[in-house]
Amino acid sequence: MLRPIRRALLSVSDKTGLVDFARELASKYGVELIATGGTRKALADAGLPVKDISELTKFPEILDGRVKTLHPAIYAGLLAKRDKSEHMQTLVEHALPEIDLVVCNLYPFEQTVAKPGVTEAEAIENIDIGGPCMVRAAAKNFASVTIIVDPVSYGPVLKELGQNAGQLSRETRRELASGAFARIAAYDHAIANYFLTGGAPGEVNFDDPDVLPLLFIPNQKLRYGENPHQRAAFYSDGTADRPCVATAEQLHGKELSYNNILDLDSALNLAREFAAPACVVVKHNNPCGAATAGKLADAFGLAWDGDPLSAFGGIIAFNRPVDVDTASALMDPKAKRFIECVIAPDYEPYALDGLRKWKENVRLLKTGDLTGFPKGLDYRRVDGGLLVQARDYGADKPDAWKVVTKRKPTEAEFNALYFSWFVCKHVKSNAIVLARDTQVVGVGAGQMSRVVSVEIAVKKAGEKSKGSVLASDAFFPFPDNVHAAAAAGVTAIIQPGGSVKDPDSIAACDEHGIAMLFTGVRHFRH
């Protein structure tokens, strides 16, 4: 059902586009404008006829503006059902005007608490009370009332008013109400999260867990999920403001798939582990290649050559802007590479231009500067519940790693062990990584038996296993892992330690002249 807008109540914090919107309402459709405080002043200063809200309520704003819209004169005009005679008669008896449109965006709580050094008092003053109440009332009565909570809605509303002689359809009013309720939910989520975390987003009291408010907003539609018969969509964390897949800008290529997004996230999180220029190649959510080097192009070459067979059709992540040399190496026509996606902090202009011309469908994503590793919470859905944990970050203390064998690793071996350990952290358990210098040469991932993971990594590495080092994400339950590694030519091992069979593994290392480090930290990735 179409309904006209004759009277509008405006109360906004964000005044973007407000004056132009209100001017068209008043001049073209004869809408009576009523507004609060700063909103009324902005409209009046623009020369628009506008009434102060106190003219409706017959009561002044009090308590520094904390109380201004909480009044029966406002809520009766919002909540009265226009098709119910008793409601309309009540308005007449009490001389209460109908309100057909509410324009209200809320105090900037999220922006306030995001500022460095914000005090609790400042945060509390930016908790809107009257605004959410007014929005909920208007949205509840969308059959008769229009609610606008975002300036982006001004244009479409004006367009429909123009098409319908100053009236809006029920479908539009319902759609706007849906957006309004979503905005209130997001606002309340931000406030609850602030109080639950003490102003430290992404923190939870695991000792005494409380209700966990979560908010995810639509990011993009997906053609399908892991498989074509599964419907899917990508949602972003409402608090995500860091460089990551969810905030990355796609610069080129066809739309991302569900599996692309999973692999991009894995590749990027490993790439950002390293201070030196790094490249990571991920396939099916596991790194099949990774390397660091003095130049990004060299890191790419080493990462790809670690397992070029598995790299075909993979995802590539860089922790530095892609330069012309790196792009040229990637596009080398002799290599005939097939790559699904590239993600990097940025791209040099000529590099980006070349990659765009190289292949029409390759997805190119830009994250911005990758400073630090993402902290906060990690979520895993299970049927009927949600697992929540702190991210696997900051547990490693290389200075505390212990040499448990007779032979100490050489400096070169230690550097390779350091590199392989942080790659292993991002491989599905049971995880084994073989590396030479700062190049991955073999990966064994996701096996039920750790020694089978060793055997797979060795097979992948081939001759490159000779002189390599080995990283294991968890302890060796038996010394068979050491014997298999020794047979392949591994010279040094890094693992958490902590097995009752540790003495057997240490003795096996000593038998083969292998150096071994215990980290005291496990990195399962299920």
PDB file of all heavy atoms in Angstrom, residues 373-409:
ATOM      1  N   PHE A 373      50.715  -9.319  13.186  1.00  0.00           N
ATOM      2  CA  PHE A 373      49.865 -10.489  12.962  1.00  0.00           C
ATOM      3  C   PHE A 373      48.513 -10.244  13.620  1.00  0.00           C
ATOM      4  O   PHE A 373      48.442  -9.661  14.707  1.00  0.00           O
ATOM      5  CB  PHE A 373      50.527 -11.735  13.550  1.00  0.00           C
ATOM      6  CG  PHE A 373      49.934 -13.011  13.042  1.00  0.00           C
ATOM      7  CD1 PHE A 373      50.277 -13.501  11.800  1.00  0.00           C
ATOM      8  CD2 PHE A 373      49.023 -13.715  13.805  1.00  0.00           C
ATOM      9  CE1 PHE A 373      49.723 -14.685  11.318  1.00  0.00           C
ATOM     10  CE2 PHE A 373      48.464 -14.894  13.333  1.00  0.00           C
ATOM     11  CZ  PHE A 373      48.831 -15.374  12.088  1.00  0.00           C
ATOM     12  N   PRO A 374      47.405 -10.634  12.972  1.00  0.00           N
ATOM     13  CA  PRO A 374      46.093 -10.372  13.563  1.00  0.00           C
ATOM     14  C   PRO A 374      45.913 -11.068  14.905  1.00  0.00           C
ATOM     15  O   PRO A 374      46.155 -12.261  15.028  1.00  0.00           O
ATOM     16  CB  PRO A 374      45.120 -10.914  12.511  1.00  0.00           C
ATOM     17  CG  PRO A 374      45.911 -11.889  11.721  1.00  0.00           C
ATOM     18  CD  PRO A 374      47.306 -11.357  11.699  1.00  0.00           C
ATOM     19  N   LYS A 375      45.453 -10.288  15.871  1.00  0.00           N
ATOM     20  CA  LYS A 375      45.174 -10.859  17.189  1.00  0.00           C
ATOM     21  C   LYS A 375      43.666 -11.087  17.307  1.00  0.00           C
ATOM     22  O   LYS A 375      42.969 -11.234  16.324  1.00  0.00           O
ATOM     23  CB  LYS A 375      45.695  -9.919  18.281  1.00  0.00           C
ATOM     24  CG  LYS A 375      47.204  -9.678  18.196  1.00  0.00           C
ATOM     25  CD  LYS A 375      47.677  -8.737  19.287  1.00  0.00           C
ATOM     26  CE  LYS A 375      49.157  -8.439  19.154  1.00  0.00           C
ATOM     27  NZ  LYS A 375      49.635  -7.502  20.191  1.00  0.00           N
ATOM     28  N   GLY A 376      43.160 -11.107  18.519  1.00  0.00           N
ATOM     29  CA  GLY A 376      41.725 -11.270  18.696  1.00  0.00           C
ATOM     30  C   GLY A 376      41.309 -12.723  18.795  1.00  0.00           C
ATOM     31  O   GLY A 376      42.068 -13.566  19.261  1.00  0.00           O
ATOM     32  N   LEU A 377      40.101 -13.003  18.341  1.00  0.00           N
ATOM     33  CA  LEU A 377      39.492 -14.314  18.544  1.00  0.00           C
ATOM     34  C   LEU A 377      39.390 -15.110  17.250  1.00  0.00           C
ATOM     35  O   LEU A 377      39.286 -14.555  16.162  1.00  0.00           O
ATOM     36  CB  LEU A 377      38.091 -14.149  19.144  1.00  0.00           C
ATOM     37  CG  LEU A 377      38.025 -13.455  20.504  1.00  0.00           C
ATOM     38  CD1 LEU A 377      36.581 -13.287  20.936  1.00  0.00           C
ATOM     39  CD2 LEU A 377      38.808 -14.239  21.546  1.00  0.00           C
ATOM     40  N   ASP A 378      39.397 -16.417  17.415  1.00  0.00           N
ATOM     41  CA  ASP A 378      39.254 -17.347  16.307  1.00  0.00           C
ATOM     42  C   ASP A 378      38.005 -18.177  16.578  1.00  0.00           C
ATOM     43  O   ASP A 378      37.831 -18.701  17.682  1.00  0.00           O
ATOM     44  CB  ASP A 378      40.497 -18.238  16.233  1.00  0.00           C
ATOM     45  CG  ASP A 378      40.455 -19.173  15.050  1.00  0.00           C
ATOM     46  OD1 ASP A 378      39.984 -18.753  13.983  1.00  0.00           O
ATOM     47  OD2 ASP A 378      40.895 -20.329  15.196  1.00  0.00           O
ATOM     48  N   TYR A 379      37.114 -18.277  15.588  1.00  0.00           N
ATOM     49  CA  TYR A 379      35.840 -18.974  15.762  1.00  0.00           C
ATOM     50  C   TYR A 379      35.787 -20.210  14.883  1.00  0.00           C
ATOM     51  O   TYR A 379      36.249 -20.208  13.752  1.00  0.00           O
ATOM     52  CB  TYR A 379      34.668 -18.068  15.376  1.00  0.00           C
ATOM     53  CG  TYR A 379      34.650 -16.724  16.052  1.00  0.00           C
ATOM     54  CD1 TYR A 379      35.024 -15.565  15.374  1.00  0.00           C
ATOM     55  CD2 TYR A 379      34.254 -16.609  17.380  1.00  0.00           C
ATOM     56  CE1 TYR A 379      35.005 -14.329  15.992  1.00  0.00           C
ATOM     57  CE2 TYR A 379      34.234 -15.373  18.000  1.00  0.00           C
ATOM     58  CZ  TYR A 379      34.610 -14.235  17.305  1.00  0.00           C
ATOM     59  OH  TYR A 379      34.594 -13.022  17.928  1.00  0.00           O
ATOM     60  N   ARG A 380      35.171 -21.263  15.407  1.00  0.00           N
ATOM     61  CA  ARG A 380      34.965 -22.476  14.618  1.00  0.00           C
ATOM     62  C   ARG A 380      33.555 -22.998  14.906  1.00  0.00           C
ATOM     63  O   ARG A 380      33.234 -23.306  16.060  1.00  0.00           O
ATOM     64  CB  ARG A 380      36.005 -23.533  14.977  1.00  0.00           C
ATOM     65  CG  ARG A 380      35.929 -24.790  14.139  1.00  0.00           C
ATOM     66  CD  ARG A 380      36.483 -24.593  12.740  1.00  0.00           C
ATOM     67  NE  ARG A 380      37.906 -24.289  12.774  1.00  0.00           N
ATOM     68  CZ  ARG A 380      38.868 -25.210  12.782  1.00  0.00           C
ATOM     69  NH1 ARG A 380      38.546 -26.495  12.780  1.00  0.00           N
ATOM     70  NH2 ARG A 380      40.130 -24.848  12.773  1.00  0.00           N
ATOM     71  N   ARG A 381      32.758 -23.088  13.879  1.00  0.00           N
ATOM     72  CA  ARG A 381      31.377 -23.541  14.026  1.00  0.00           C
ATOM     73  C   ARG A 381      31.316 -25.053  14.136  1.00  0.00           C
ATOM     74  O   ARG A 381      31.993 -25.776  13.405  1.00  0.00           O
ATOM     75  CB  ARG A 381      30.573 -23.079  12.812  1.00  0.00           C
ATOM     76  CG  ARG A 381      29.069 -23.326  12.930  1.00  0.00           C
ATOM     77  CD  ARG A 381      28.418 -22.288  13.810  1.00  0.00           C
ATOM     78  NE  ARG A 381      26.966 -22.334  13.700  1.00  0.00           N
ATOM     79  CZ  ARG A 381      26.175 -23.070  14.472  1.00  0.00           C
ATOM     80  NH1 ARG A 381      26.683 -23.864  15.396  1.00  0.00           N
ATOM     81  NH2 ARG A 381      24.870 -23.020  14.315  1.00  0.00           N
ATOM     82  N   VAL A 382      30.545 -25.552  15.074  1.00  0.00           N
ATOM     83  CA  VAL A 382      30.199 -26.962  15.154  1.00  0.00           C
ATOM     84  C   VAL A 382      28.683 -27.053  15.203  1.00  0.00           C
ATOM     85  O   VAL A 382      28.003 -26.069  15.512  1.00  0.00           O
ATOM     86  CB  VAL A 382      30.820 -27.654  16.390  1.00  0.00           C
ATOM     87  CG1 VAL A 382      32.335 -27.627  16.296  1.00  0.00           C
ATOM     88  CG2 VAL A 382      30.347 -27.004  17.691  1.00  0.00           C
ATOM     89  N   ASP A 383      28.159 -28.196  14.907  1.00  0.00           N
ATOM     90  CA  ASP A 383      26.705 -28.358  14.906  1.00  0.00           C
ATOM     91  C   ASP A 383      26.149 -28.054  16.291  1.00  0.00           C
ATOM     92  O   ASP A 383      26.480 -28.726  17.267  1.00  0.00           O
ATOM     93  CB  ASP A 383      26.347 -29.782  14.477  1.00  0.00           C
ATOM     94  CG  ASP A 383      24.860 -29.957  14.225  1.00  0.00           C
ATOM     95  OD1 ASP A 383      24.154 -28.928  14.140  1.00  0.00           O
ATOM     96  OD2 ASP A 383      24.401 -31.100  14.108  1.00  0.00           O
ATOM     97  N   GLY A 384      25.346 -27.015  16.367  1.00  0.00           N
ATOM     98  CA  GLY A 384      24.710 -26.655  17.628  1.00  0.00           C
ATOM     99  C   GLY A 384      25.536 -25.757  18.524  1.00  0.00           C
ATOM    100  O   GLY A 384      25.126 -25.453  19.642  1.00  0.00           O
ATOM    101  N   GLY A 385      26.699 -25.324  18.069  1.00  0.00           N
ATOM    102  CA  GLY A 385      27.512 -24.478  18.939  1.00  0.00           C
ATOM    103  C   GLY A 385      28.645 -23.782  18.212  1.00  0.00           C
ATOM    104  O   GLY A 385      28.790 -23.860  16.991  1.00  0.00           O
ATOM    105  N   LEU A 386      29.460 -23.099  19.000  1.00  0.00           N
ATOM    106  CA  LEU A 386      30.565 -22.313  18.473  1.00  0.00           C
ATOM    107  C   LEU A 386      31.764 -22.459  19.401  1.00  0.00           C
ATOM    108  O   LEU A 386      31.650 -22.276  20.613  1.00  0.00           O
ATOM    109  CB  LEU A 386      30.175 -20.825  18.404  1.00  0.00           C
ATOM    110  CG  LEU A 386      31.172 -19.876  17.751  1.00  0.00           C
ATOM    111  CD1 LEU A 386      31.175 -20.069  16.237  1.00  0.00           C
ATOM    112  CD2 LEU A 386      30.814 -18.427  18.088  1.00  0.00           C
ATOM    113  N   LEU A 387      32.898 -22.822  18.814  1.00  0.00           N
ATOM    114  CA  LEU A 387      34.153 -22.877  19.571  1.00  0.00           C
ATOM    115  C   LEU A 387      34.858 -21.537  19.409  1.00  0.00           C
ATOM    116  O   LEU A 387      34.966 -21.006  18.297  1.00  0.00           O
ATOM    117  CB  LEU A 387      35.052 -24.001  19.051  1.00  0.00           C
ATOM    118  CG  LEU A 387      34.634 -25.424  19.381  1.00  0.00           C
ATOM    119  CD1 LEU A 387      35.446 -26.420  18.563  1.00  0.00           C
ATOM    120  CD2 LEU A 387      34.792 -25.700  20.867  1.00  0.00           C
ATOM    121  N   VAL A 388      35.330 -20.999  20.520  1.00  0.00           N
ATOM    122  CA  VAL A 388      36.004 -19.699  20.499  1.00  0.00           C
ATOM    123  C   VAL A 388      37.356 -19.829  21.191  1.00  0.00           C
ATOM    124  O   VAL A 388      37.440 -20.419  22.278  1.00  0.00           O
ATOM    125  CB  VAL A 388      35.160 -18.617  21.224  1.00  0.00           C
ATOM    126  CG1 VAL A 388      35.854 -17.266  21.157  1.00  0.00           C
ATOM    127  CG2 VAL A 388      33.764 -18.532  20.623  1.00  0.00           C
ATOM    128  N   GLN A 389      38.382 -19.317  20.558  1.00  0.00           N
ATOM    129  CA  GLN A 389      39.703 -19.347  21.165  1.00  0.00           C
ATOM    130  C   GLN A 389      40.477 -18.100  20.755  1.00  0.00           C
ATOM    131  O   GLN A 389      40.145 -17.440  19.769  1.00  0.00           O
ATOM    132  CB  GLN A 389      40.476 -20.599  20.728  1.00  0.00           C
ATOM    133  CG  GLN A 389      40.794 -20.649  19.243  1.00  0.00           C
ATOM    134  CD  GLN A 389      41.617 -21.859  18.858  1.00  0.00           C
ATOM    135  OE1 GLN A 389      42.108 -22.584  19.699  1.00  0.00           O
ATOM    136  NE2 GLN A 389      41.785 -22.082  17.550  1.00  0.00           N
ATOM    137  N   ALA A 390      41.503 -17.785  21.537  1.00  0.00           N
ATOM    138  CA  ALA A 390      42.422 -16.731  21.135  1.00  0.00           C
ATOM    139  C   ALA A 390      43.206 -17.213  19.924  1.00  0.00           C
ATOM    140  O   ALA A 390      43.443 -18.410  19.752  1.00  0.00           O
ATOM    141  CB  ALA A 390      43.364 -16.387  22.283  1.00  0.00           C
ATOM    142  N   ARG A 391      43.617 -16.312  19.080  1.00  0.00           N
ATOM    143  CA  ARG A 391      44.398 -16.696  17.904  1.00  0.00           C
ATOM    144  C   ARG A 391      45.753 -17.260  18.328  1.00  0.00           C
ATOM    145  O   ARG A 391      46.276 -16.920  19.393  1.00  0.00           O
ATOM    146  CB  ARG A 391      44.608 -15.499  16.975  1.00  0.00           C
ATOM    147  CG  ARG A 391      43.393 -15.139  16.142  1.00  0.00           C
ATOM    148  CD  ARG A 391      43.714 -13.965  15.227  1.00  0.00           C
ATOM    149  NE  ARG A 391      42.598 -13.660  14.345  1.00  0.00           N
ATOM    150  CZ  ARG A 391      42.435 -14.178  13.134  1.00  0.00           C
ATOM    151  NH1 ARG A 391      43.319 -15.040  12.665  1.00  0.00           N
ATOM    152  NH2 ARG A 391      41.409 -13.841  12.374  1.00  0.00           N
ATOM    153  N   ASP A 392      46.297 -18.097  17.474  1.00  0.00           N
ATOM    154  CA  ASP A 392      47.610 -18.710  17.737  1.00  0.00           C
ATOM    155  C   ASP A 392      48.686 -17.693  17.394  1.00  0.00           C
ATOM    156  O   ASP A 392      49.217 -17.668  16.279  1.00  0.00           O
ATOM    157  CB  ASP A 392      47.761 -19.979  16.892  1.00  0.00           C
ATOM    158  CG  ASP A 392      49.036 -20.738  17.222  1.00  0.00           C
ATOM    159  OD1 ASP A 392      49.766 -20.305  18.134  1.00  0.00           O
ATOM    160  OD2 ASP A 392      49.309 -21.751  16.559  1.00  0.00           O
ATOM    161  N   TYR A 393      48.970 -16.859  18.366  1.00  0.00           N
ATOM    162  CA  TYR A 393      49.908 -15.754  18.120  1.00  0.00           C
ATOM    163  C   TYR A 393      50.701 -15.468  19.386  1.00  0.00           C
ATOM    164  O   TYR A 393      50.161 -15.449  20.487  1.00  0.00           O
ATOM    165  CB  TYR A 393      49.135 -14.491  17.711  1.00  0.00           C
ATOM    166  CG  TYR A 393      49.984 -13.242  17.657  1.00  0.00           C
ATOM    167  CD1 TYR A 393      50.811 -12.986  16.560  1.00  0.00           C
ATOM    168  CD2 TYR A 393      49.967 -12.319  18.700  1.00  0.00           C
ATOM    169  CE1 TYR A 393      51.603 -11.857  16.519  1.00  0.00           C
ATOM    170  CE2 TYR A 393      50.744 -11.180  18.662  1.00  0.00           C
ATOM    171  CZ  TYR A 393      51.564 -10.955  17.568  1.00  0.00           C
ATOM    172  OH  TYR A 393      52.350  -9.837  17.524  1.00  0.00           O
ATOM    173  N   GLY A 394      51.988 -15.244  19.237  1.00  0.00           N
ATOM    174  CA  GLY A 394      52.814 -14.746  20.326  1.00  0.00           C
ATOM    175  C   GLY A 394      53.311 -15.773  21.312  1.00  0.00           C
ATOM    176  O   GLY A 394      53.941 -15.410  22.314  1.00  0.00           O
ATOM    177  N   ALA A 395      53.059 -17.071  21.089  1.00  0.00           N
ATOM    178  CA  ALA A 395      53.482 -18.084  22.061  1.00  0.00           C
ATOM    179  C   ALA A 395      54.958 -18.465  21.912  1.00  0.00           C
ATOM    180  O   ALA A 395      55.575 -18.944  22.867  1.00  0.00           O
ATOM    181  CB  ALA A 395      52.616 -19.332  21.929  1.00  0.00           C
ATOM    182  N   ASP A 396      55.506 -18.267  20.725  1.00  0.00           N
ATOM    183  CA  ASP A 396      56.878 -18.729  20.464  1.00  0.00           C
ATOM    184  C   ASP A 396      57.925 -17.774  21.033  1.00  0.00           C
ATOM    185  O   ASP A 396      57.859 -16.558  20.831  1.00  0.00           O
ATOM    186  CB  ASP A 396      57.095 -18.877  18.957  1.00  0.00           C
ATOM    187  CG  ASP A 396      56.291 -20.018  18.386  1.00  0.00           C
ATOM    188  OD1 ASP A 396      56.621 -21.167  18.696  1.00  0.00           O
ATOM    189  OD2 ASP A 396      55.316 -19.753  17.651  1.00  0.00           O
ATOM    190  N   LYS A 397      58.891 -18.362  21.736  1.00  0.00           N
ATOM    191  CA  LYS A 397      60.017 -17.622  22.307  1.00  0.00           C
ATOM    192  C   LYS A 397      61.314 -18.296  21.849  1.00  0.00           C
ATOM    193  O   LYS A 397      61.848 -19.169  22.554  1.00  0.00           O
ATOM    194  CB  LYS A 397      59.937 -17.604  23.836  1.00  0.00           C
ATOM    195  CG  LYS A 397      58.601 -17.159  24.414  1.00  0.00           C
ATOM    196  CD  LYS A 397      58.294 -15.717  24.096  1.00  0.00           C
ATOM    197  CE  LYS A 397      56.938 -15.313  24.705  1.00  0.00           C
ATOM    198  NZ  LYS A 397      56.528 -13.952  24.298  1.00  0.00           N
ATOM    199  N   PRO A 398      61.812 -17.951  20.666  1.00  0.00           N
ATOM    200  CA  PRO A 398      63.011 -18.632  20.136  1.00  0.00           C
ATOM    201  C   PRO A 398      64.204 -18.628  21.087  1.00  0.00           C
ATOM    202  O   PRO A 398      65.003 -19.579  21.082  1.00  0.00           O
ATOM    203  CB  PRO A 398      63.306 -17.851  18.851  1.00  0.00           C
ATOM    204  CG  PRO A 398      61.955 -17.351  18.409  1.00  0.00           C
ATOM    205  CD  PRO A 398      61.249 -17.005  19.687  1.00  0.00           C
ATOM    206  N   ASP A 399      64.319 -17.592  21.906  1.00  0.00           N
ATOM    207  CA  ASP A 399      65.441 -17.548  22.860  1.00  0.00           C
ATOM    208  C   ASP A 399      65.338 -18.665  23.898  1.00  0.00           C
ATOM    209  O   ASP A 399      66.342 -19.023  24.531  1.00  0.00           O
ATOM    210  CB  ASP A 399      65.484 -16.191  23.563  1.00  0.00           C
ATOM    211  CG  ASP A 399      65.888 -15.058  22.625  1.00  0.00           C
ATOM    212  OD1 ASP A 399      66.437 -15.367  21.544  1.00  0.00           O
ATOM    213  OD2 ASP A 399      65.651 -13.885  22.957  1.00  0.00           O
ATOM    214  N   ALA A 400      64.125 -19.191  24.075  1.00  0.00           N
ATOM    215  CA  ALA A 400      63.911 -20.245  25.078  1.00  0.00           C
ATOM    216  C   ALA A 400      63.934 -21.640  24.476  1.00  0.00           C
ATOM    217  O   ALA A 400      63.774 -22.627  25.197  1.00  0.00           O
ATOM    218  CB  ALA A 400      62.583 -20.013  25.800  1.00  0.00           C
ATOM    219  N   TRP A 401      64.105 -21.742  23.165  1.00  0.00           N
ATOM    220  CA  TRP A 401      64.176 -23.062  22.551  1.00  0.00           C
ATOM    221  C   TRP A 401      65.399 -23.814  23.093  1.00  0.00           C
ATOM    222  O   TRP A 401      66.476 -23.228  23.292  1.00  0.00           O
ATOM    223  CB  TRP A 401      64.276 -22.949  21.035  1.00  0.00           C
ATOM    224  CG  TRP A 401      63.015 -22.429  20.385  1.00  0.00           C
ATOM    225  CD1 TRP A 401      61.802 -22.239  20.974  1.00  0.00           C
ATOM    226  CD2 TRP A 401      62.864 -22.021  19.021  1.00  0.00           C
ATOM    227  NE1 TRP A 401      60.896 -21.737  20.074  1.00  0.00           N
ATOM    228  CE2 TRP A 401      61.513 -21.601  18.860  1.00  0.00           C
ATOM    229  CE3 TRP A 401      63.713 -21.988  17.927  1.00  0.00           C
ATOM    230  CZ2 TRP A 401      61.028 -21.140  17.644  1.00  0.00           C
ATOM    231  CZ3 TRP A 401      63.223 -21.532  16.710  1.00  0.00           C
ATOM    232  CH2 TRP A 401      61.898 -21.107  16.573  1.00  0.00           C
ATOM    233  N   LYS A 402      65.244 -25.115  23.298  1.00  0.00           N
ATOM    234  CA  LYS A 402      66.307 -25.915  23.926  1.00  0.00           C
ATOM    235  C   LYS A 402      66.917 -26.914  22.936  1.00  0.00           C
ATOM    236  O   LYS A 402      66.197 -27.605  22.218  1.00  0.00           O
ATOM    237  CB  LYS A 402      65.753 -26.681  25.125  1.00  0.00           C
ATOM    238  CG  LYS A 402      65.287 -25.794  26.270  1.00  0.00           C
ATOM    239  CD  LYS A 402      64.744 -26.649  27.414  1.00  0.00           C
ATOM    240  CE  LYS A 402      64.265 -25.766  28.564  1.00  0.00           C
ATOM    241  NZ  LYS A 402      63.712 -26.593  29.683  1.00  0.00           N
ATOM    242  N   VAL A 403      68.240 -26.940  22.929  1.00  0.00           N
ATOM    243  CA  VAL A 403      68.938 -27.993  22.186  1.00  0.00           C
ATOM    244  C   VAL A 403      68.966 -29.225  23.080  1.00  0.00           C
ATOM    245  O   VAL A 403      69.492 -29.182  24.194  1.00  0.00           O
ATOM    246  CB  VAL A 403      70.376 -27.577  21.828  1.00  0.00           C
ATOM    247  CG1 VAL A 403      71.086 -28.713  21.091  1.00  0.00           C
ATOM    248  CG2 VAL A 403      70.373 -26.307  20.984  1.00  0.00           C
ATOM    249  N   VAL A 404      68.391 -30.331  22.620  1.00  0.00           N
ATOM    250  CA  VAL A 404      68.266 -31.522  23.470  1.00  0.00           C
ATOM    251  C   VAL A 404      69.168 -32.659  23.000  1.00  0.00           C
ATOM    252  O   VAL A 404      69.163 -33.739  23.614  1.00  0.00           O
ATOM    253  CB  VAL A 404      66.794 -31.997  23.518  1.00  0.00           C
ATOM    254  CG1 VAL A 404      65.918 -30.962  24.219  1.00  0.00           C
ATOM    255  CG2 VAL A 404      66.271 -32.296  22.116  1.00  0.00           C
ATOM    256  N   THR A 405      69.909 -32.421  21.932  1.00  0.00           N
ATOM    257  CA  THR A 405      70.800 -33.453  21.390  1.00  0.00           C
ATOM    258  C   THR A 405      72.257 -33.094  21.673  1.00  0.00           C
ATOM    259  O   THR A 405      72.581 -31.970  22.080  1.00  0.00           O
ATOM    260  CB  THR A 405      70.600 -33.569  19.871  1.00  0.00           C
ATOM    261  OG1 THR A 405      70.637 -32.262  19.287  1.00  0.00           O
ATOM    262  CG2 THR A 405      69.296 -34.247  19.554  1.00  0.00           C
ATOM    263  N   LYS A 406      73.127 -34.046  21.426  1.00  0.00           N
ATOM    264  CA  LYS A 406      74.554 -33.805  21.636  1.00  0.00           C
ATOM    265  C   LYS A 406      75.069 -32.742  20.677  1.00  0.00           C
ATOM    266  O   LYS A 406      75.920 -31.922  21.048  1.00  0.00           O
ATOM    267  CB  LYS A 406      75.335 -35.110  21.442  1.00  0.00           C
ATOM    268  CG  LYS A 406      75.054 -36.164  22.508  1.00  0.00           C
ATOM    269  CD  LYS A 406      75.804 -37.464  22.208  1.00  0.00           C
ATOM    270  CE  LYS A 406      75.494 -38.544  23.251  1.00  0.00           C
ATOM    271  NZ  LYS A 406      76.190 -39.824  22.939  1.00  0.00           N
ATOM    272  N   ARG A 407      74.569 -32.795  19.440  1.00  0.00           N
ATOM    273  CA  ARG A 407      75.027 -31.815  18.460  1.00  0.00           C
ATOM    274  C   ARG A 407      74.095 -30.620  18.422  1.00  0.00           C
ATOM    275  O   ARG A 407      72.862 -30.793  18.358  1.00  0.00           O
ATOM    276  CB  ARG A 407      75.115 -32.444  17.064  1.00  0.00           C
ATOM    277  CG  ARG A 407      75.761 -31.498  16.029  1.00  0.00           C
ATOM    278  CD  ARG A 407      75.962 -32.176  14.683  1.00  0.00           C
ATOM    279  NE  ARG A 407      74.736 -32.297  13.912  1.00  0.00           N
ATOM    280  CZ  ARG A 407      74.211 -31.287  13.181  1.00  0.00           C
ATOM    281  NH1 ARG A 407      74.764 -30.082  13.195  1.00  0.00           N
ATOM    282  NH2 ARG A 407      73.123 -31.508  12.475  1.00  0.00           N
ATOM    283  N   LYS A 408      74.651 -29.419  18.452  1.00  0.00           N
ATOM    284  CA  LYS A 408      73.874 -28.203  18.309  1.00  0.00           C
ATOM    285  C   LYS A 408      73.689 -27.901  16.821  1.00  0.00           C
ATOM    286  O   LYS A 408      74.560 -28.214  16.001  1.00  0.00           O
ATOM    287  CB  LYS A 408      74.581 -27.036  18.980  1.00  0.00           C
ATOM    288  CG  LYS A 408      74.692 -27.135  20.494  1.00  0.00           C
ATOM    289  CD  LYS A 408      75.366 -25.895  21.055  1.00  0.00           C
ATOM    290  CE  LYS A 408      75.442 -25.969  22.590  1.00  0.00           C
ATOM    291  NZ  LYS A 408      76.100 -24.777  23.163  1.00  0.00           N
ATOM    292  N   PRO A 409      72.595 -27.266  16.466  1.00  0.00           N
ATOM    293  CA  PRO A 409      72.429 -26.889  15.058  1.00  0.00           C
ATOM    294  C   PRO A 409      73.421 -25.784  14.693  1.00  0.00           C
ATOM    295  O   PRO A 409      73.746 -24.939  15.522  1.00  0.00           O
ATOM    296  CB  PRO A 409      70.982 -26.388  14.986  1.00  0.00           C
ATOM    297  CG  PRO A 409      70.640 -25.985  16.385  1.00  0.00           C
ATOM    298  CD  PRO A 409      71.408 -26.907  17.273  1.00  0.00           C
TER     299      PRO A 409
END
